[in-house]
Amino acid sequence: MRVHPHTRFVLPDSLNAGEPPEARGLSRDQVKLLVAEGSTVTHTRFDRIGEHLRPGDLLLVNTSGTLPAAVDGSWISGSGVEPVVVHFSTALDDGTWVVELRNGGAPMFGGTAGDHVELPEGVLTLLSPYQPGSNRLWRAKPPVADVLGYLERHGRPITYKYVGQHWPLASYQTVFAREPGSAEMPSAARPFSFELVSHLASQGVLIAPILLHCGVSSLESHEPPLPERYDVPEHTARLVNWVKANRGRVIAVGTTAVRAIESAVRPDGSVSAAHGWTDLVLGPDHPVRVVDGLVTGMHAPEASHLLLLESVVGGSTVQRAYDAALDEHYLWHEFGDSCLLLR
């Protein structure tokens, strides 16, 4: 199934953030912030986000940590041997992993079940395509049982062509990261600094943890999000229900936090503790039920994430925000600028 958001725009290459803001002389929390609420758009800086939050608002933050999920190897197929980068995406319950093979920055679609990829310390074996009708992602047997330890020894953060060099793993961690498990950074939370979190808490803004381990990006094929592992703790569920009952706003930090909390909504609209795998796909035809807004980075044209944004604040608000971001030369992607979208 392909997805096509209503929001339309053309992203010039000059607005791709190719390095962390720290390399541009900024602290994490000094990136631009666009606030869109209804027909109003405000341009400010992320360290002033508290001016747009109220005492009693609740921020849901993803505590997933980023893995050094890219490993260099050699793909051995019927047509020969060629260098590849293996992106370790998602750990499955049976010990296998979802992986993506890339060469020259582009996904490789020519794999066959039984192909091997020579990696440090052993061989990765392709078992079967992970998605029906596509061989971009594979279920694979990893070279070792302890994949997280293996990635610590041999991996590096996943990067795409708009990032011109490799940056250390610390550049891809948020201040909320506690449990390693995301192939790519839950980047909406990157602009938060410890000082800003302390300031927001003193202002009366509530913060609660939620977990969703992100798989690899699916932007190339306009695909819907893949199933991902999530956890909504009991204390977070209770706090969400209390905030809603007291007319506070629940603001998710990132599309991952939106997907996790909306996966834990009961039929009556309340939230319960929940964990496991979510295949929830949000969009204008499946709007959110709990979230009142979200903090998010700038997403690429045709990304399925745009549909989720539209499910929270509507397509016209998202389009207005993106038009304004282009006009004001906001930077895109994980090292770029930020939005606060409010219903």
Side-chain angles (χ1 to χ4, degrees):
M1 179 181 72
R2 293 176 181 267
V3 296
H4 296 281
H6 295 127
T7 305
R8 293 282 186 265
F9 62 97
V10 176
L11 178 64
D13 289 342
S14 61
L15 297 186
N16 290 318
E19 58 189 5
E22 297 90 321
R24 306 193 297 269
L26 304 174
S27 63
R28 284 179 176 241
D29 58 11
Q30 289 179 330
V31 297
K32 292 179 181 179
L33 175 67
L34 183 153
V35 182
E37 184 172 8
S39 60
T40 302
V41 172
T42 304
H43 299 287
T44 182
R45 206 170 68 178
F46 197 87
D47 56 3
R48 298 175 185 145
I49 192 172
E51 297 172 6
H52 302 275
L53 301 175
R54 308 168 187 157
D57 282 347
L58 172 63
L59 296 177
L60 295 175
V61 300
N62 190 356
T63 58
S64 180
T66 309
L67 299 172
V71 181
D72 293 321
S74 299
W75 179 28
I76 305 171
S77 66
S79 57
V81 180
E82 57 184 305
V84 296
V85 179
V86 178
H87 289 179
F88 285 78
S89 176
T90 306
L92 300 178
D93 293 335
D94 62 359
T96 63
W97 275 70
V98 179
V99 302
E100 180 188 45
L101 306 184
R102 286 192 165 237
N103 186 320
M108 302 179 68
F109 294 94
T112 302
D115 284 355
H116 298 298
V117 179
E118 289 188 351
L119 294 176
E121 296 186 36
V123 171
L124 177 138
T125 303
L126 303 185
L127 301 176
S128 60
Y130 185 57
Q131 297 168 291
S134 172
N135 60 352
R136 182 176 73 87
L137 298 175
W138 285 84
R139 188 174 67 88
K141 181 181 178 182
V144 298
D146 177 16
V147 174
L148 297 190
Y150 176 83
L151 294 177
E152 288 182 2
R153 295 190 297 276
H154 301 291
R156 63 177 182 274
I158 289 174
T159 58
Y160 294 104
K161 61 183 179 181
Y162 54 83
V163 177
Q165 67 183 80
H166 295 306
W167 297 94
L169 184 61
S171 296
Y172 292 86
Q173 301 293 10
T174 75
V175 298
F176 304 113
R178 294 295 179 271
E179 182 179 333
S182 283
E184 299 184 22
M185 173 174 51
S187 56
R190 193 187 192 280
F192 284 92
S193 63
F194 290 111
E195 293 80 7
L196 178 56
V197 171
S198 176
H199 174 74
L200 293 174
S202 68
Q203 180 182 323
V205 175
L206 306 171
I207 298 174
I210 205 165
L211 179 73
L212 186 138
H213 290 317
C214 314
V216 295
S217 168
S218 58
L219 303 182
E220 295 85 0
S221 301
H222 314 312
E223 298 162 349
L226 299 169
E228 292 170 312
R229 196 185 303 273
Y230 80 107
D231 181 31
V232 178
E234 176 66 32
H235 56 277
T236 294
R238 289 181 179 178
L239 189 54
V240 168
N241 292 332
W242 182 87
V243 168
K244 298 296 285 188
N246 287 275
R247 299 185 180 180
R249 296 180 299 182
V250 175
I251 299 171
V253 178
T255 58
T256 58
V258 176
R259 195 182 196 198
I261 196 65
E262 293 291 333
S263 297
V265 179
R266 298 185 181 110
D268 66 0
S270 65
V271 173
S272 62
H275 68 276
W277 292 88
T278 178
D279 58 2
L280 179 64
V281 178
L282 294 163
D285 58 345
H286 190 158
V288 297
R289 301 179 64 194
V290 169
V291 171
D292 300 297
L294 78 159
V295 178
T296 179
M298 309 301 299
H299 300 289
E302 291 290 333
S304 61
H305 298 296
L306 293 169
L307 278 170
L308 187 147
L309 306 189
E310 293 170 2
S311 80
V312 178
V313 297
S316 61
T317 296
V318 178
Q319 186 70 64
R320 188 178 300 111
Y322 273 64
D323 290 344
L326 289 167
D327 289 343
E328 295 296 323
H329 302 98
Y330 278 59
L331 295 179
W332 257 247
H333 304 302
E334 66 270 25
F335 293 143
D337 295 313
S338 189
C339 285
L340 171 62
L341 304 177
L342 297 168
R343 286 205 279 187

